[in-house]
């Protein structure tokens, strides 16, 4: 399979490295309007650099295009790639608005191409293991869940994050990871309520989701955290408690163990994946396998659209100071 990337920034570098390691995959092109960025990726990973998207599509003729640009440009290039009849991997979030997300989804369907959105947390082994344990009924019926995802403010490195209209702020860009995971694990959301504080140094949000099954989740996200990047999740249910905290892992991408407490008081720490597990590699490998075998996508375009709907509701709730009903 021939793969090309659109966007040669930080995410472009991550995915370019993984493309080169995937079996039976040829990295055929890297496009960016910044010639120095495209050239850097091309020289590091042995592909051809382009500053014209159309030229790359005509010369390289990829089967799969990875759209790794800033969020406001997702719609334009997803549609451009689909117009060429190419399958599309797009970084999260799919778009900044539900209408754009739905338009992208419908256009890809009309062209008969697959669209996959990189909600990578589903590919973190500890999060996937938590989902499997909950589905198996290990801790019973969930009552309350909590998540935390905090780190330095990315606006210090890239100014576009500071503009709420182009990045969606901490809710759309960072918390959406946990929105996706909780919806995947707990079902559809009924109401959303948000507290949000923003200034030039920080963007903090606390969002409460009430699900159709009456369970509740509290999601905390913070840009401007003085320490290193950290994330955690916890589920409290009628038969036990299950939690994970990245401070107990060896690194950002290496999830080490989950702590589970059952109603009988027993506690088990279960080792998980090999230390070289890379969720970004896993999600791209999964999508390529779905293209080749037509197996179901773990993250569907519908999922991505619902995540944007919930994130937009959270942003709206912060503005009006009231819960938003979905």
């Amino acid at each position: 399979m021939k793969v090309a990337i659109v966007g040669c920034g930080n995410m472009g570098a991550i995915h370019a490295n993984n493309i080169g390691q995937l079996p039976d995959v040829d990295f055929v092109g890297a496009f960016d309007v910044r010639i120095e960025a495209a050239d850097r990726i091309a020289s590091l990973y042995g592909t051809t650099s382009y500053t014209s998207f159309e030229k790359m599509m005509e010369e390289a003729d990829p089967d799969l295009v990875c759209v790794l640009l800033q969020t406001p440009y997702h719609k334009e290039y997803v549609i451009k790639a689909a117009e060429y009849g190419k399958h599309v991997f797009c970084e999260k979030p799919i778009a900044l608005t539900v209408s754009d997300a739905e338009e992208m989804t419908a256009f890809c369907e009309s062209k008969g191409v697959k669209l996959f959105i990189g909600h990578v947390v589903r590919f973190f082994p500890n999060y996937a293991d938590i989902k499997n344990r909950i589905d198996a009924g290990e801790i019973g019926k969930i009552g309350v869940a909590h998540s935390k995802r905090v780190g330095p403010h990315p606006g210090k490195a890239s100014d576009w994050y500071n503009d709420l209209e182009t990045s969606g702020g901490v809710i759309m860009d960072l918390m959406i990871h946990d929105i996706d995971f909780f919806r995947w694990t707990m079902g559809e959301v009924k109401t959303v309520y948000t507290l949000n504080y923003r200034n030039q140094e920080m963007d903090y949000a606390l969002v409460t989701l009430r699900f159709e099954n009456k369970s509740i989740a509290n999601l905390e996200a913070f840009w401007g955290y003085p320490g290193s990047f950290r994330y955690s999740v916890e589920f409290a249910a009628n038969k036990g408690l299950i939690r994970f905290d990245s401070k107990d892992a060896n690194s950002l991408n290496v999830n080490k163990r989950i702590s589970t407490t059952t109603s009988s008081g027993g506690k088990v720490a279960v080792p998980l994946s090999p230390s070289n597990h890379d969720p970004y590699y896993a999600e791209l490998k999964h999508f390529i396998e779905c293209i080749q075998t037509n197996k179901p996508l773990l993250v569907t375009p519908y999922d991505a659209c619902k995540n944007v709907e919930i994130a937009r509701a959270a942003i709206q709730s912060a503005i009006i100071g009231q819960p938003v009903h979905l």
Side-chain angles (χ1 to χ4, degrees):
M1 178 173 288
K2 295 188 293 183
V3 180
I5 68 170
V6 174
C8 297
N10 291 336
M11 294 310 300
I14 289 173
H15 287 286
N17 179 63
N18 287 331
I19 290 167
Q21 299 182 55
L22 286 162
D24 302 317
V25 169
D26 294 324
F27 188 8
V28 296
F31 161 73
D32 200 297
V33 294
R34 303 165 299 164
I35 183 61
E36 69 281 359
D39 284 346
R40 182 178 65 252
I41 293 295
S43 62
L44 282 173
Y45 301 104
T47 191
T48 304
S49 62
Y50 294 91
T51 54
S52 166
F53 176 79
E54 290 74 18
K55 185 177 181 181
M56 181 178 74
M57 299 303 290
E58 292 164 6
E59 291 187 358
D61 190 27
D63 303 299
L64 167 61
V65 175
C66 297
V67 178
L68 312 172
L69 298 163
Q70 296 171 356
T71 308
Y73 303 104
H74 286 181
K75 177 183 175 182
E76 176 185 356
Y77 282 94
V78 166
I79 288 176
K80 280 184 174 182
E83 187 70 66
Y84 277 93
K86 309 303 181 181
H87 302 292
V88 189
F89 174 100
C90 180
E91 263 302 329
K92 62 80 198 162
I94 181 175
L96 289 168
T97 66
V98 176
S99 60
D100 279 352
E102 291 177 342
E103 183 180 343
M104 293 158 68
T105 297
F107 190 83
C108 288
E109 289 178 354
S110 73
K111 295 297 180 180
V113 301
K114 293 185 184 296
L115 173 63
F116 183 87
I117 308 303
H119 284 288
V120 71
V121 164
R122 297 197 190 196
F123 294 86
F124 275 67
N126 277 347
Y127 283 88
D129 190 60
I130 288 172
K131 160 75 169 168
N132 291 337
R133 287 166 179 256
I134 290 171
D135 287 351
E138 186 172 320
I139 61 170
K141 183 179 179 181
I142 297 168
V144 181
H146 301 271
S147 69
K148 179 181 287 187
R149 195 167 297 269
V150 301
H153 202 310
K156 295 183 181 297
S158 297
D159 190 57
W160 78 279
Y161 286 103
N162 295 314
D163 185 351
L164 188 64
E165 296 302 314
T166 58
S167 72
V170 76
I171 293 173
M172 184 67 75
D173 192 80
L174 185 64
M175 185 185 284
I176 201 164
H177 283 300
D178 298 299
I179 289 173
D180 176 68
F181 180 67
F182 279 141
R183 182 180 164 274
W184 184 42
T185 306
M186 300 169 69
E188 298 298 345
V189 174
K190 185 176 181 180
T191 61
V192 183
Y193 179 68
T194 305
L195 298 174
N196 184 210
Y197 178 79
R198 303 175 70 249
N199 60 28
Q200 292 183 337
E201 302 296 324
M202 62 181 287
D203 188 350
Y204 174 86
L206 178 63
V207 173
T208 298
L209 304 179
R210 182 181 292 274
F211 293 82
E212 290 184 356
N213 63 11
K214 298 184 180 180
S215 60
I216 292 175
N218 297 303
L219 294 70
E220 186 177 8
F222 183 25
W223 280 345
Y225 183 65
S228 59
F229 187 73
R230 180 178 169 185
Y231 49 93
S232 61
V233 65
E234 176 181 288
F235 292 86
N238 64 335
K239 294 182 181 179
L241 179 73
I242 187 166
R243 62 163 62 98
F244 167 70
D245 194 318
S246 64
K247 72 176 182 177
D248 299 323
N250 292 327
S251 70
L252 174 62
N253 287 331
V254 181
N255 296 324
K256 187 178 180 183
R257 57 181 63 241
I258 292 172
S259 175
T260 305
T261 304
T262 65
S263 57
S264 61
K267 182 174 288 187
V268 181
V270 182
L272 288 174
S273 65
S275 61
N276 63 351
H277 182 96
D278 182 345
Y280 293 98
Y281 176 92
E283 68 175 352
L284 190 54
K285 183 174 182 290
H286 164 76
F287 184 40
I288 289 173
E289 289 173 351
C290 290
I291 294 170
Q292 293 171 332
T293 67
N294 205 34
K295 75 176 184 179
L297 297 170
L298 183 60
V299 183
T300 68
Y302 176 79
D303 292 330
C305 290
K306 292 298 291 185
N307 293 337
V308 172
E309 180 186 9
I310 295 165
R312 294 305 315 181
I315 293 169
Q316 178 66 14
S317 174
I319 293 171
I320 66 175
Q322 297 291 329
V324 172
H325 300 272
L326 301 180

